[in-house]
């Protein structure tokens, strides 16, 4: 099960027109990186737990296949939150076996096979992949004993209240009994309700790894995820006097004479005017950055938005949401 039904609020305005997991990372939608990783560990069938803008996914994979994996769609009638979404998707797909569930905005090369083996060895009801981070306060913080039994699961604590720097990395192995115990017909958070309850029963385990990991759900982390796929220099549509460094430039982008693009993402058909500067910023599909305009400091420009010539935006979202 891959959870892709959130509103992507932190990536607005880009997510007003495209759900988060359909935004590009490098040259492909985020979801394809997630599915490819699962496929590498032998996953043959993925149920997408959909809520917000499900049409974007069904339209992108009309034959229900992605990276050689069969896709099934479970569309929630209303947002059921993370545990509610997993339980709903399992019921819709008629799944009654051990499942792997993951957050659709997590890009990682963690060893899923090892996580499943560990889960079975411990006889766990549920097992969580953990990763170390510098600031745990925007994640689910998890402390364990020496056997990997979870002692505490605290979602988004204050930085002082975080007992460790190991956080819920958003990949889970779940036994059917866990799915069956999730209350139906109302939103249920796996982080705030299901996991704390399982931890209190001593039946929740976790395994940390040092694998590459990023949650691409904020402008800074989404940009960082893209920059792993960045290239330099000329591409079609880029004027020879423009300078492009460490950026991701989608198809159909035009960049005018003398423009400078650094550490940025320019989506499908974006147009950068003559002498403009785009640095550390995200430019949505079909957006137009006017001549000599300057975008810097994690500015985010939505689909089709026009930034007037000469405008200076630093850390600005346009339109503001
Ligand atoms: N189907 C469905 N329905 N999906 C949902 C819903 C819902 O109601 N709400 C959220 N999702 C999906 C999002 O689309 C995303 O893929 C995933 O669930 C997690 O939601 P986020 O909004 O990205 O959560 P987060 O990043 O703040 O925190 C989560 O991820 C962290 C790791 O990246 C939590 O699981 C934290 O505990 C964790 O540390
Ligand atoms: Mg997230």
């Amino acid at each position: 099960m891959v959870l892709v039904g959130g509103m992507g609020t932190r990536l607005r305005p880009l997510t007003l027109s495209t759900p988060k997991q359909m935004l590009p990372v490098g040259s492909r939608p985020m979801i394809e990186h997630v599915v490819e990783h699962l496929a590498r560990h032998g996953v043959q069938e993925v149920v997408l737990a959909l809520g917000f803008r499900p049409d974007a996914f069904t339209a992108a994979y009309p034959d229900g296949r992605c990276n050689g994996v069969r896709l099934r769609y479970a569309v929630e009638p209303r947002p059921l939150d993370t545990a509610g979404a997993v339980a709903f998707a399992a019921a819709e797909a008629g799944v009654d076996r051990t499942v792997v569930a993951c957050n659709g905005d997590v890009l990682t090369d963690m060893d899923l096979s090892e996580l499943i083996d560990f889960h079975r060895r411990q006889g766990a009801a549920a097992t969580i992949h953990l990763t170390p981070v510098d600031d745990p306060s925007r994640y689910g913080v998890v402390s364990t004993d020496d056997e990997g039994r979870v002692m505490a699961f605290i979602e988004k604590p204050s930085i002082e209240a975080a007992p460790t720097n190991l956080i819920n990395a958003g990949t889970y192995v779940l036994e059917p009994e866990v799915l069956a115990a999730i209350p139906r017909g109302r939103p249920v958070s796996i982080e705030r309700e299901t996991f704390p309850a399982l931890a209190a029963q001593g039946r929740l385990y976790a395994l940390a790894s040092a694998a590459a990991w990023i949650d691409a759900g904020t402008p800074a982390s989404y940009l960082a995820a893209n920059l792993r796929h960045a290239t330099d220099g000329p591409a079609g549509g880029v004027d020879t006097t423009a300078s492009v460094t460490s950026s991701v430039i989608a198809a159909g982008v035009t960049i005018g004479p003398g423009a400078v693009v650094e550490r940025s993402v320019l989506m499908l058909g974006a147009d950068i005017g003559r002498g403009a500067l785009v640095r550390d910023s995200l430019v949505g599909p079909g957006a137009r950055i006017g001549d000599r305009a300057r975008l810097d400091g994690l500015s985010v420009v939505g689909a089709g938005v026009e930034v007037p010539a000469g405008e200076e935006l630093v850390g600005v979202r346009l339109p503001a949401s």
Side-chain angles (χ1 to χ4, degrees):
M1 320 265 154
V2 180
L3 296 173
V4 294
M7 308 265 292
T9 316
R10 288 162 291 185
L11 280 177
R12 283 185 190 160
L14 296 171
T15 43
L16 296 175
S17 45
T18 307
K20 173 163 65 176
Q21 297 84 0
M22 287 304 297
L23 290 174
V25 172
S27 59
R28 297 182 298 157
M30 190 184 298
I31 184 67
E32 295 193 18
H33 297 274
V34 175
V35 170
E36 184 185 69
H37 168 250
L38 295 171
R40 276 206 299 277
H41 288 277
V43 170
Q44 296 175 330
E45 186 167 79
V46 164
V47 184
L48 293 184
L50 299 160
F52 175 66
R53 299 280 328 261
D55 48 299
F57 296 88
T58 49
Y61 311 103
D63 60 353
R65 294 201 75 81
C66 171
N67 283 86
V69 171
R70 178 169 175 224
L71 289 185
R72 301 175 67 179
Y73 304 111
V75 184
E76 289 151 43
R78 64 192 173 100
L80 291 172
D81 209 340
T82 44
V86 174
F88 178 85
E92 284 284 289
V95 175
D96 56 4
R97 304 187 323 190
T98 308
V99 301
V100 171
C102 61
N103 289 343
D105 60 350
V106 164
L107 303 173
T108 180
D109 60 7
M110 59 83 73
D111 189 340
L112 179 59
S113 313
E114 185 191 9
L115 189 74
I116 296 169
D117 288 347
F118 173 80
H119 170 83
R120 296 214 165 110
R121 257 196 329 273
Q122 303 301 325
T127 301
I128 305 174
H129 173 227
L130 305 181
T131 193
V133 294
D134 292 336
D135 174 9
S137 61
R138 56 170 273 236
Y139 303 102
V141 181
V142 181
S143 59
T144 65
D145 69 10
D146 294 345
E147 270 83 60
R149 189 190 299 253
V150 173
M151 308 313 285
F153 188 113
I154 316 163
E155 183 68 7
K156 306 198 171 109
S158 65
I159 206 162
E160 312 82 63
T164 70
N165 72 333
L166 287 177
I167 60 112
N168 166 23
T171 302
Y172 319 126
V173 187
L174 306 170
E175 289 304 313
E177 54 177 304
V178 172
L179 302 182
I182 295 170
R184 306 301 303 272
R186 67 165 170 93
V188 183
S189 162
I190 206 163
E191 298 88 351
R192 295 179 195 277
E193 194 167 335
T194 311
F195 287 157
L198 281 170
Q201 295 165 17
R203 301 175 60 235
L204 181 63
Y205 284 76
L207 182 65
S209 81
W213 183 90
I214 197 164
D215 170 333
T218 67
S221 65
Y222 175 69
L223 177 59
N226 268 282
L227 295 193
R228 295 174 171 182
H229 302 265
T231 52
D232 290 326
V238 180
D239 188 273
T240 48
T241 62
S243 149
V244 177
T245 45
S246 307
S247 293
V248 172
I249 313 294
V253 167
T254 50
I255 304 180
V260 174
V261 177
E262 273 175 37
R263 294 184 303 274
S264 292
V265 179
L266 309 183
M267 297 185 200
L268 213 64
D271 179 44
I272 311 302
R274 172 184 288 270
L277 168 74
V278 180
R279 186 193 281 148
D280 297 317
S281 292
L282 306 169
V283 178
R288 297 175 61 103
I289 310 304
D291 294 350
R292 298 172 318 283
R294 297 171 69 86
L295 245 64
D296 205 340
L298 275 181
S299 290
V300 185
V301 175
V305 168
E306 301 211 8
V307 174
E311 189 96 341
E312 188 150 341
L313 304 179
V314 181
V316 170
R317 297 182 192 227
L318 206 70
S321 40

